[in-house]
Amino acid sequence: SIDPDQGLDWLRLGPVPADRILEVHNSSGNDVHLTITNVVGQEMRSVQLLPQSHETVEVSDLSPGIYFVHANGAFAQQIVIR
């Protein structure tokens, strides 16, 4: 499990704002379940990240606006899709 006192320094997201893709870097030694939700809490994406991995998440079909990223259920970052 992720140590909550460690913060989320191990997770990097970009570019923000994003328009076609969101690059996700997991530098932790743990599997991470990443979710992207809209402002009303609907899950728009769900991605399983392996330890020390990099994933590209397609976001071009999402409506422009503010979204929230959670890692293993904990709030990680607010992102903007344009």
Side-chain angles (χ1 to χ4, degrees):
S1 72
I2 305 292
D3 178 0
D5 296 331
Q6 193 178 17
L8 297 180
D9 295 339
W10 45 267
L11 185 67
R12 298 271 182 255
L13 305 170
V16 176
D19 46 24
R20 293 186 341 273
I21 57 167
L22 184 68
E23 301 285 341
V24 182
H25 301 271
N26 171 19
S27 61
S28 78
N30 302 296
D31 286 349
V32 174
H33 180 231
L34 193 82
T35 57
I36 300 174
T37 60
N38 63 16
V39 293
V40 294
Q42 291 175 302
E43 186 176 291
M44 306 306 288
R45 291 287 182 281
S46 178
V47 180
Q48 192 68 31
L49 301 171
L50 297 173
Q52 303 292 319
S53 68
H54 167 260
E55 293 287 332
T56 300
V57 180
E58 179 70 40
V59 294
S60 62
D61 62 319
L62 297 180
S63 297
I66 296 171
Y67 293 83
F68 303 101
V69 178
H70 292 79
N72 294 343
F75 174 76
Q77 187 174 330
Q78 176 179 303
I79 61 170
V80 175
I81 308 284
R82 60 178 174 194

